[in-house]
Amino acid sequence: MSLVSALTTAILPVLSVAAVGFVLGKTRDVDVDALGTITIYVLTPSLVFYSLATSSLSGEVAARVVGGVVAFTFVMVLLAEGVGRLLGESEPVLGAIVLSSSFPNAGNYGIPLAAFAFGAVGRSTAVLFIAGQSVLMYTVGVYVASRSGNTTAGGAVAEVFRLPLVYAVAIAGLARWFDAVPPTDTAAMETLRLVGDSAIPVMLLILGIQLANTRHGAALSRVAVSNGLKLVVAPAVGVAVAFAVGLGADSTVARVFVLEAAMPAAITPLILSIEYDEGTVGVSGPEYLSTAIFASTLASVGTLTVLIAVLQSGAVI
């Protein structure tokens, strides 16, 4: 796939919907929290269940993807922590560097992009990636976001068990294990497919609205480090992890894994950082993260276009 083809067939369709959300967020007072609640509790669980229940991926491949997500996240956390400390950063900026570097936007941005670039396998793999990352986000991510304050992380970690996404993964897995997945032409599965498919454009609209409302100013000159880790180092780590966990045997799954790893900074860490922010002198954690999200999302247009073209060519995997 050429750069032009990658841009027009994968990147631009995603960006065009997100751009509508961005304009909407700038011109209207949109309650993005309500949209987020609908997406988290209705649309995403439907997408996850249908995608996993009807996926052609085997249980072994699914386990390798989730294992790869765990390995990738911990490698990036250690790298970002080390780089931040070498640069003399302290909390809360140090935690913000770790969060923005280690957790890619594999949901709102990653799932639609993987679907456009790699079809049904891309969507299923991206769903597995975000399922594994969600657990880590509310455990490792909560610890990193809360460690600079006096707030205990235990209550927020329990949030992972309130996410319908986790149960959708479990139910889909059990349905496949017992060969109890209904035929795709039944009313129930058609309904789930319809609801799940609507998650993709809504995710992109939410992404655009959130970007329109992010604050970026004093931290702009300081996010180059996290953006470099997120957009340059993370894809290389993703390639290494994909081979390490044995995803190389399925080239499409491995390519989607690398693509998800290369997504810009995720938005959920910003929400966690805001929850645990206790005020600080200078650049705060939320300010750093919101700036990193905005800057990395803009910069990712170029990096992801090149990466998709390279992945589609088979030059790496």
Side-chain angles (χ1 to χ4, degrees):
M1 177 181 282
S2 67
L3 290 177
V4 173
S5 179
L7 179 65
T8 57
T9 62
I11 300 293
L12 286 183
V14 169
L15 290 182
S16 62
V17 181
V20 172
F22 185 88
V23 173
L24 193 62
K26 286 293 187 183
T27 58
R28 292 288 186 271
D29 184 17
V30 181
D31 186 3
V32 73
D33 290 338
L35 285 175
T37 299
I38 293 171
T39 302
I40 291 172
Y41 287 94
V42 180
L43 306 185
T44 301
S46 300
L47 174 67
V48 167
F49 178 84
Y50 186 88
S51 297
L52 296 184
T54 61
S55 172
S56 59
L57 301 180
S58 66
E60 180 183 356
V61 171
R64 291 180 186 274
V65 170
V66 174
V69 173
V70 174
F72 168 79
T73 302
F74 276 97
V75 169
M76 289 305 301
V77 165
L78 293 174
L79 283 175
E81 182 86 15
V83 169
R85 290 186 181 277
L86 284 174
L87 293 175
E89 298 287 4
S90 57
E91 300 293 351
V93 171
L94 178 61
I97 291 174
V98 174
L99 290 170
S100 58
S101 303
S102 306
F103 294 100
N105 191 345
N108 292 359
Y109 197 171
I111 291 176
L113 186 58
F116 275 107
F118 295 100
V121 174
R123 186 173 71 171
S124 297
T125 305
V127 163
L128 283 170
F129 195 105
I130 193 62
Q133 181 177 269
S134 294
V135 176
L136 294 170
M137 190 88 75
Y138 284 97
T139 50
V140 177
V142 164
Y143 167 72
V144 174
S146 65
R147 65 185 180 181
S148 63
N150 298 318
T151 309
T152 60
V157 171
E159 182 68 21
V160 69
F161 298 107
R162 302 188 190 106
L163 294 175
L165 179 149
V166 175
Y167 300 101
V169 172
I171 294 171
L174 289 173
R176 291 191 60 166
W177 179 269
F178 291 105
D179 196 22
V181 178
T184 56
D185 59 354
T186 59
M189 292 299 284
E190 284 289 340
T191 302
L192 283 172
R193 182 187 62 79
L194 179 64
V195 176
D197 284 347
S198 66
I200 292 178
V202 174
M203 283 177 175
L204 292 174
L205 290 172
I206 290 174
L207 174 63
I209 294 169
Q210 287 174 320
L211 288 177
N213 293 309
T214 54
R215 296 177 294 112
H216 44 277
L220 191 59
S221 62
R222 303 180 65 177
V223 299
V225 174
S226 64
N227 285 352
L229 288 168
K230 187 77 234 39
L231 300 177
V232 179
V233 176
V237 173
V239 171
V241 170
F243 280 112
V245 299
L247 290 177
D250 191 322
S251 59
T252 302
V253 173
R255 290 167 185 169
V256 176
F257 182 90
V258 174
L259 180 62
E260 293 297 291
M263 288 293 114
I267 293 171
T268 302
L270 172 60
I271 299 172
L272 296 177
S273 181
I274 291 172
E275 180 176 351
Y276 292 107
D277 181 50
E278 297 183 355
T280 184
V281 177
V283 176
S284 68
E287 185 177 8
Y288 186 101
L289 278 162
S290 63
T291 305
I293 291 166
F294 186 83
S296 64
T297 301
L298 290 182
S300 71
V301 175
T303 59
L304 292 176
T305 299
V306 173
L307 181 61
I308 290 173
V310 170
L311 291 174
Q312 290 281 16
S313 72
V316 177
I317 297 178

